[in-house]
Amino acid sequence: MEKRDNWDAAFPKENRTGDWGFAVYNPDGTAKSNDLNCVQCHTPLQAQDYLFTYQKLVDFVKK
């Protein structure tokens, strides 16, 4: 996952949710075929900035 507000057309919308982009990479850094649809699971989490670990991050920052 990577978050930015300036995704270009080279990174398809179907691989993004909000400002988050999703991809899978091999250990050598090359793109890996992704059979998962990351966007599908993250989209319902809009109130948590699309993150499953949102509350954990908030709690960490407050410490």
Side-chain angles (χ1 to χ4, degrees), residues 45-55:
L45 303 172
Q46 182 177 7
Q48 299 174 181
D49 196 22
Y50 306 99
L51 301 172
F52 287 96
T53 57
Y54 181 79
Q55 192 57 51

Side-chain angles (χ1 to χ4, degrees), residues 21-37:
F22 302 92
V24 179
Y25 296 92
N26 292 304
D28 66 2
T30 58
K32 182 177 181 178
S33 175
N34 184 6
D35 294 333
L36 300 174
N37 182 348

